[in-house]
Amino acid sequence: MSIDYTEKIPNNVDLAGDRKLQRALESWQPNFLNWWKTMGPAVPTQDVYLRTAVDVGREGWAQFGHVAMEEYRWGVFLAERGDDRRIAFGEQKGEPVWQQVPGEYRADLQRLIVIQGDTEPASVEQQRRLGETAPSLYDLRNLFQVNVEEGRHLWAMVYLLHAYFGRNGREEAEALLHRNSGDLDSPRILGAFNEETPDWLSFFMFTYFTDRDGKYQLGTLKESAFDPLSRTCEFMLKEEAHHMFVGTTGVDRVVARTAELMREHDTDDVGPHGGIPLDVIQRYINFHYSVSLDLFGSEQSTNAANYFTAGLKGRWQEERRRDDHVLTEDSAYVDLVKDGEITTNEVPALLALNHDLRNEYVKDCQSGMKRWNRVLENAGVDRTLTLPHVGFNRDVGLFADQYVSPSGQLMTKEQWEAKKDSWLPSEVDKTHVRSLMRPVYEPGKIAGWIAPPSNGINGQPFDYEYVHLA
Amino acid sequence: MTTTENAAAGPTDPDAAEIPKISFDTDPASYKHWTLDLDGAAETGVAYLRLDIDETAGLVPGYELKMNSYDLGVDIELYDATQRLRFEHPEVRAVVVTSGKDRNFCAGANIRMLAQSSHPWKVNFCKFTNETRNGIEDATTSSGQTYIAAVNGTAAGGGYELALACEQILLIDDNSSAVSLPEVPLLGVLPGTGGLTRVIDKRKVRKDRADVFATKSEGIRGRQAVEWKLVDETVPKRAWDETVRERAAEAAARSSRPAGARGITLPPLQREETDDGITYRHVSAAFDRAQGLVEITVHGPSGGVPESLERVHELGADFWPLAMTRELDDLILRLRANELELGTWIIRTKGDVEDALAFERIIAEHSGDDWLVNEIRHYFKRVLKRLDVTSRSLIALIEPGSCFAGALLELALACDRQYMLDGTLDEEAGEQGDEAQIVLSESNFGAFPMGNGLPRLASRFYGDDDHVAKLRQEVGRRISAREAMDLGLVTDAPDDIDWDDEIRIMLEERASLSPDALTGMEANHRFVGPETMESRIFSRLTAWQNWIFVRPNASGPEGALRKYGTGRKADFDRRRV
């Protein structure tokens, strides 16, 4: 049977000319589709107005149309690059980048790709049931768009495993489908990806904070000396930006609706009026931000140092930085708790790379706060949302065993536990948010706890039939 | 190991010294240090190997080989002589090893040479000399060629170790000639060419006496040497020649060698050497210096199988099993000595499985009744043992067109890992034809034992006799990659999709590991189960010696090896480790 690979699996990696890769992907694809059917979106649909990437160019990367989701064309794309790319950092700085996996780094590169790949299908699994309570067809469509793109990102990582890591890579690619989010026996690798996304506020927070961690991880891999990984991640970053758009505007709209209800009813307690109180939003921020910080790993890390020195994983915007890109002589300050105080400690810069990346992330998250506070300000609400202290609610890294308040006060476990419900979503909060989650599937209609978007997708109006339910 | 040389000038840092390229080619007419005396051998069956070292003819500059002390060049000649005795002189049934110098049998390895040599050189030198001495013992046990040491002067260190490799040791009783192992007291190292081991294992010297002997620099002579079993007998000077002749004649009389056998000639090897490899007629090696590896291909027999034993003798050194074995032997020695940075050896075979088996059948059928065929079998056995103790990562790649069958399969089994291609590589399909197959033969079950006394299969499946018995039922059957995988005969059997990547990544990964750790790891994994004198020489004596060699107490600027002959004492770090 001859298959038109370009049609079935859009790609720019010459899949049609690579028999080995074809066979590898062919045996993997049925398993992937099977996974998608059992672990993917639970709401049955006929088709969804989705963006499909068929090329990496301006024209190709965003083709819109209604497609049945199981027929979505998950493609494999590498960003186009010049031929003379050089390693930008580490011990082998200045040497040509690698088009093959050097055996010396096989284990490390494979591990990095597997961890990245593991997060992609995880979020699909976490968000599986969300469609049942979508606040509008527009939002439902965005959810599915995020889902299929996470699926494509899984494809991207699987492509790398298949194309460059031999049999071992194929086995790891299989395992990506066998680990499932929240599965007791075979969970996803990173803890944050085993938490169910129970409601849409969580979904927006997840796409804002957790997908943003993904953006930064991809950003470091984009610098990799292993060129196929670098180019894959560069293209993925484009799609990741859309996921964060969903999160940013999603929270925008929740905040806007809350402000509207606060003004309308002249109260902070908009719960009884079908809204989500600002305090609850703040607690959701506190939660999602802090667990996402854990994804950066320990602030002080020899693994990260080794990856950097070997050229496997760079820093955010590595090439724009003005230093020697080797860092053997530099030092950096990391936050930690010492003698009952939150302070900083000077360590070799190489050991503080996770901390460096996390700081970039924190700066980026701040911009979201500014944006949402502007929404509040414009609505005439004299309240602000803030990011909690980096030491708050941490399970990983130098703050893991510390009890830090959102404002950055060190306290005892008892003190912290006593205040916990005012800082993190309580059962009451969650129950309330869940009570608001009622599906609205009528075109042009929207749930009462969220404002409509200012624009539709691809120039379509808000009341466009983005999704045809089955 | 002694020398009287004045080393006042003090050697420079040995590990900075460049290692000269070594050739193992020689023949009796070119010997500088030995004479192979075959006068009357046709009648008496006795040959004399006389050591008369040309002290100005060291292999590299920087030392004089005084007092019959040797360097690698001397041992290369000795190895050549032992090989020629076995193949060219089947009439020889006893070999007398003696000295051509008065009152001086052999002073062992030259100390100036050792002091100026880099660590790899020392280790390689010792390995080769050990293998040659093991070969001497093998000639005695397997070829009916008994070696007798006629120690007609002082035998110190390596000189006595050479005598220890012989079946009998006669010591001249002149009230001054002694045997000794002075390495510990004088040089701060071990008698590393089997000395310590053979004294207790082979000569059965009591351990307390061995302790006294090995710390007594002047050694032991006369009656005490006999009482302590260090030598078999002492002989007064006037009866010396006659007694040596008698003992040799007795040994010759016990020999199993056939009467009237005619030897074959071992002509110089045809070899083409470039910077990128070595090519022989049946064996080739391509160097990949960037990857730090060498790809060795052993070609199976071409041309017809000899129809008779006569034809085998007629072919002589051209008979494929012998020709191939000689070439492989030479290649192993050259790579070990000259290509230290090619840390991984990939071993392939190319040829027809049936032809390989047909040749092997000749060996199997006649090694009991034909001296030449017997020699070839034992020679291949020794070359395989060289592989076993080679400090390189050995990887067998079993691909379509290969002939890892029977004896040649031993090459793969000697490797640290075996990879067998499942299927064919597509682009070459049609040309390559059949898929890779391996074949077990009876010879995999005992014809080529390792240094530990076990066949490689028995070592591989140590403690699982049932599995070895099961494998025996597979003899003669062509075994595919998947079956080989199931039978545990290969490490992995990637298919065409994976082959290139798997192999490349595996090799690169290997190349990134510490060479020292790999050497140690491989040596540990290769030798499972029981110990023999031979395995103890390599695994225990050599390992300890190599440790001592790198310790400052031996080779540091204040160490005994470097201080020897300077008139100054070594300054030891007194801490026991």
Side-chain angles (χ1 to χ4, degrees), chain A residues 19 101 103 106 167 170, chain B residues 496 498 502 504-505 508-509:
Chain A
R19 199 187 57 89
V101 176
R106 181 200 61 81
R167 172 182 301 190
R170 253 195 348 260
Chain B
D496 60 327
D498 292 328
E502 292 290 326
R504 180 185 62 78
I505 289 174
E508 287 181 6
E509 220 164 8

Side-chain angles (χ1 to χ4, degrees), chain A residues 19-21 23-24 100-107 162-170, chain B residues 422 425-427 485 492-502 504-506 508-509 512:
Chain A
R19 199 187 57 89
K20 290 180 184 183
L21 191 56
R23 272 180 49 181
Q100 287 288 345
V101 176
E104 183 173 0
Y105 306 123
R106 181 200 61 81
H162 279 175
Y164 297 98
F165 291 88
R167 172 182 301 190
N168 210 244
R170 253 195 348 260
Chain B
D422 180 9
L425 293 174
D426 234 24
E427 47 273 28
M485 191 70 191
D492 201 359
D495 61 16
D496 60 327
I497 290 184
D498 292 328
W499 181 259
D500 288 344
D501 271 348
E502 292 290 326
R504 180 185 62 78
I505 289 174
M506 176 268 299
E508 287 181 6
E509 220 164 8
S512 73

Side-chain angles (χ1 to χ4, degrees), chain A residues 120 153 157 218 232-240:
Chain A
E120 311 291 356
H153 292 181
M157 293 297 121
L218 288 175
T232 301
C233 290
E234 185 170 333
F235 188 72
M236 287 163 71
L237 275 167
K238 231 177 187 178
E239 290 165 327
E240 209 67 51

Side-chain angles (χ1 to χ4, degrees), chain B residues 195-413:
Chain B
L196 292 184
T197 313
R198 285 198 175 89
V199 164
I200 53 170
D201 267 51
K202 183 179 182 182
R203 308 283 321 175
K204 311 275 193 300
V205 176
R206 242 166 50 200
K207 78 163 187 178
D208 56 332
R209 286 175 168 174
D211 187 281
V212 170
F213 176 60
T215 52
K216 191 172 168 157
S217 58
E218 73 274 28
I220 292 178
R221 60 175 191 258
R223 203 172 46 200
Q224 190 185 16
V226 179
E227 272 175 26
W228 284 26
K229 298 193 272 194
L230 296 165
V231 303
D232 293 290
E233 62 180 309
T234 55
V235 183
K237 207 167 174 175
R238 64 195 132 69
W240 178 252
D241 290 343
E242 183 54 33
T243 312
V244 169
R245 210 164 24 242
E246 272 172 29
R247 296 294 174 269
E250 287 159 18
R254 287 194 300 269
S255 170
S256 56
R257 291 231 142 188
R262 280 190 42 213
I264 62 161
T265 306
L266 297 180
L269 291 170
Q270 301 296 307
R271 177 181 52 235
E272 197 182 312
E273 255 183 301
T274 67
D275 277 352
D276 303 321
I278 307 178
T279 310
Y280 306 82
R281 278 167 60 204
H282 307 290
V283 178
S284 64
F287 304 163
D288 184 343
R289 295 189 193 282
Q291 300 287 328
L293 59 83
V294 51
E295 301 191 62
I296 297 170
T297 305
V298 175
H299 294 267
S302 55
V305 183
E307 57 282 3
S308 66
L309 268 180
E310 288 69 41
R311 179 67 186 142
V312 169
H313 282 256
E314 216 173 280
L315 284 167
D318 284 333
F319 182 47
W320 172 80
L322 177 55
M324 177 274 293
T325 303
R326 287 184 73 205
E327 292 172 359
L328 186 59
D329 190 18
D330 189 63
L331 177 67
I332 293 171
L333 291 174
R334 279 165 188 269
L335 291 176
R336 283 199 325 204
N338 300 331
E339 300 293 347
L340 303 185
E341 293 191 20
L342 302 181
T344 301
W345 293 2
I346 294 173
I347 298 181
R348 293 187 175 88
T349 54
K350 227 174 165 63
D352 185 78
V353 167
E354 288 309 322
D355 285 352
L357 288 172
F359 273 81
E360 183 191 312
R361 258 191 306 277
I362 298 179
I363 307 286
E365 279 166 22
H366 296 289
S367 72
D369 59 32
D370 183 82
W371 71 269
L372 176 59
V373 171
N374 182 54
E375 285 304 339
I376 294 171
R377 170 164 84 87
H378 286 291
Y379 186 22
F380 190 60
K381 172 192 78 180
R382 293 194 300 277
V383 171
L384 287 168
K385 284 182 178 183
R386 272 210 216 283
L387 269 184
D388 292 334
V389 297
T390 290
S391 55
R392 305 288 192 277
S393 295
L394 306 177
I395 311 284
L397 296 186
I398 306 171
E399 296 164 340
S402 67
C403 53
F404 283 104
L408 284 181
L409 182 63
E410 290 292 315
L411 290 175
L413 295 171

Side-chain angles (χ1 to χ4, degrees), chain B residues 65-85:
Chain B
L65 296 173
K66 291 188 173 171
M67 298 182 65
N68 253 8
S69 64
Y70 62 77
D71 68 355
L72 180 59
V74 176
D75 235 68
I76 288 171
E77 291 180 9
L78 176 61
Y79 176 55
D80 184 75
T82 61
Q83 287 291 97
R84 287 183 196 281
L85 280 164

